[in-house]
Amino acid sequence: MTDQNESVPSEHEHPERMRAAKSLLVVNTGDGKGKSTAAFGVMLRAVARDWPVAVVQFLKSGDWQVGEESVGRRLGVDWWAIGEGFTWDSNDLSRDEAVAQAAWAHAKAVIDAGAHRLVVLDELTYPVNWGWVPLADVVATLRDRPERVSVVVTGRDAPAEIVEIADTVTEMRKVKHPYDRGIIAKKGIDF
């Protein structure tokens, strides 16, 4: 065996008893890029399994012409994108708050109805952290969702209460970002 192969894992620890879950709550958080992109990868996996899928975007609107929305809609994903964009671009924060509350009411109804096997709540953490969407209601909805409804939540600074009830939490860390050098988002890469 060469020195190079000595670092190749040959054993894997796993829980003593494995079981299948009826659904999962996944959280993609952190200051790095890729939180939504990872969620949309899960969306594609669910669509490939013929699951009914819904996406609710809390910040992005149809005006962004997001590639994932275009493809998702063609694949039959129920897509709700009425966001007003990022708050620093806003002319009316009270309208943004009302839009976020309407998006949450829709998301809650979609989850509670149980008709979708996967619901993606894209950038939910922002309106929750700003106090526009009540954290206690979000936690109760996610915790008490119908047993076959999986949910993916994205956004920076996921509240500890959501992290606590999640099955999978991934913290995406920024190492380097073109925006820091004044480079704007690139269509086809960033959205």
Side-chain angles (χ1 to χ4, degrees):
M1 185 182 289
T2 67
D3 289 341
Q4 183 180 17
N5 288 335
E6 288 179 18
S7 64
V8 176
S10 60
E11 295 182 25
H12 173 72
E13 284 192 41
H14 56 84
E16 198 171 295
R17 182 176 165 266
M18 301 295 291
R19 61 185 173 81
K22 292 186 188 237
S23 69
L24 295 172
L25 172 58
V26 177
V27 176
N28 297 334
T29 192
D31 68 349
K33 289 210 40 83
K35 297 176 287 292
S36 297
T37 303
F40 298 139
V42 174
M43 174 196 79
L44 289 175
R45 288 177 177 169
V47 168
R49 299 284 180 199
D50 293 323
W51 287 11
V53 176
V55 172
V56 179
Q57 291 190 295
F58 284 82
L59 296 184
K60 295 180 183 101
S61 73
D63 295 342
W64 282 47
Q65 298 178 348
V66 177
E68 296 93 345
E69 178 179 357
S70 174
V71 170
R73 286 184 184 276
R74 281 186 260 159
L75 295 173
V77 173
D78 292 329
W79 205 285
W80 176 277
I82 63 164
E84 293 292 309
F86 293 104
T87 54
W88 50 86
D89 293 328
S90 178
N91 293 323
D92 185 355
L93 287 177
S94 61
R95 174 165 164 59
D96 295 346
E97 181 176 358
V99 166
Q101 291 168 349
W104 172 245
H106 178 75
K108 180 178 172 59
V110 167
I111 292 168
D112 289 346
H116 296 85
R117 293 278 310 272
L118 176 68
V119 179
V120 175
L121 303 177
D122 188 37
E123 297 174 331
L124 170 64
T125 64
Y126 298 98
V128 169
N129 288 331
W130 297 331
W132 293 354
V133 172
L135 175 60
D137 190 31
V138 171
V139 169
T141 300
L142 296 174
R143 183 192 58 231
D144 301 335
R145 69 190 186 277
E147 69 178 10
R148 300 207 29 101
V149 176
S150 291
V151 177
V152 179
V153 173
T154 74
R156 291 181 181 201
D157 304 315
E161 295 87 344
I162 295 175
V163 168
E164 176 65 29
I165 63 169
D167 299 292
T168 300
V169 179
T170 299
E171 176 86 21
M172 300 194 179
R173 183 176 60 88
K174 179 176 80 169
V175 175
K176 189 176 184 180
H177 195 295
Y179 185 83
D180 297 336
R181 294 176 292 148
I183 299 171
I184 62 171
K186 177 125 183 89
K187 288 183 182 179
I189 300 291
D190 292 308
F191 64 97

